[in-house]
Amino acid sequence: MRPLLHALALASAIALPAHAQMYKCTHGEKVTYSEAPCARGAQTLMAPPDPPASRPEAAELARLQQQSAQLEAARHAREAREDHADALHDQRAARRREHCTQLQLARKWAEDDVRRASHRTIDTARIAARRAAERHAAACK
């Protein structure tokens, strides 16, 4: 990654104008920099920066481009794996919500059966309702 940053910095340095003069203007406490001479206050002509030592070799540029392509391919592969993992997580969460909804409905029906049960079947209906509530609590809480 670092060689790529160096290449980008070198490319941006090459793009700078080579003959532009810079002026440092001082007016009281305020300091400004400009390409034009100062209108008022003290001015200092600043020397242009040294040009880059040399342009990168074609082989170096090709190596950097290849490295950039490899990094991009690795990033795309990582993003694809993460997207796949997210999709699996979402599917599992949807199945769990559906299962909990079914258990909650079974619990509701068992409670309805308790309310409608006759004197002889009330104990069996209460046991079924309690078990349905326990199944729901164990799976969904």
Side-chain angles (χ1 to χ4, degrees):
M1 189 71 182
R2 209 166 226 157
L4 179 61
L5 292 175
H6 291 298
L8 290 175
L10 184 61
S12 64
I14 291 171
L16 291 175
H19 301 344
Q21 292 184 347
M22 293 295 297
Y23 295 92
K24 178 179 176 183
C25 303
T26 307
H27 183 69
E29 299 277 327
K30 187 175 177 183
V31 176
T32 59
Y33 296 91
S34 173
E35 292 180 1
C38 301
R40 57 188 169 140
Q43 88 179 14
T44 305
L45 182 62
M46 300 182 69
D50 293 333
S54 66
R55 298 185 76 169
E57 300 284 332
E60 176 69 9
L61 186 58
R63 186 186 67 77
L64 290 174
Q65 288 173 337
Q66 181 183 11
Q67 186 179 15
S68 174
Q70 289 173 346
L71 289 171
E72 188 172 350
R75 181 179 58 87
H76 285 300
R78 184 183 69 248
E79 288 174 353
R81 284 192 308 270
E82 290 171 356
D83 289 345
H84 180 70
D86 289 346
L88 284 177
H89 181 267
D90 292 345
Q91 288 175 352
R92 289 180 185 136
R95 282 195 302 263
R96 185 173 189 278
R97 281 191 304 272
E98 182 180 339
H99 181 66
C100 286
T101 301
Q102 290 173 353
L103 289 175
Q104 187 175 10
L105 188 59
R107 177 182 174 186
K108 178 183 173 275
W109 290 342
E111 290 170 355
D112 289 345
D113 290 344
V114 169
R115 284 191 289 277
R116 288 188 310 240
S118 66
H119 181 66
R120 290 186 305 172
T121 61
I122 189 97
D123 290 334
T124 306
R126 284 183 182 154
I127 291 171
R130 188 184 76 233
R131 288 180 180 166
E134 289 171 354
R135 275 193 298 275
H136 179 260
C140 302
K141 304 269 176 171

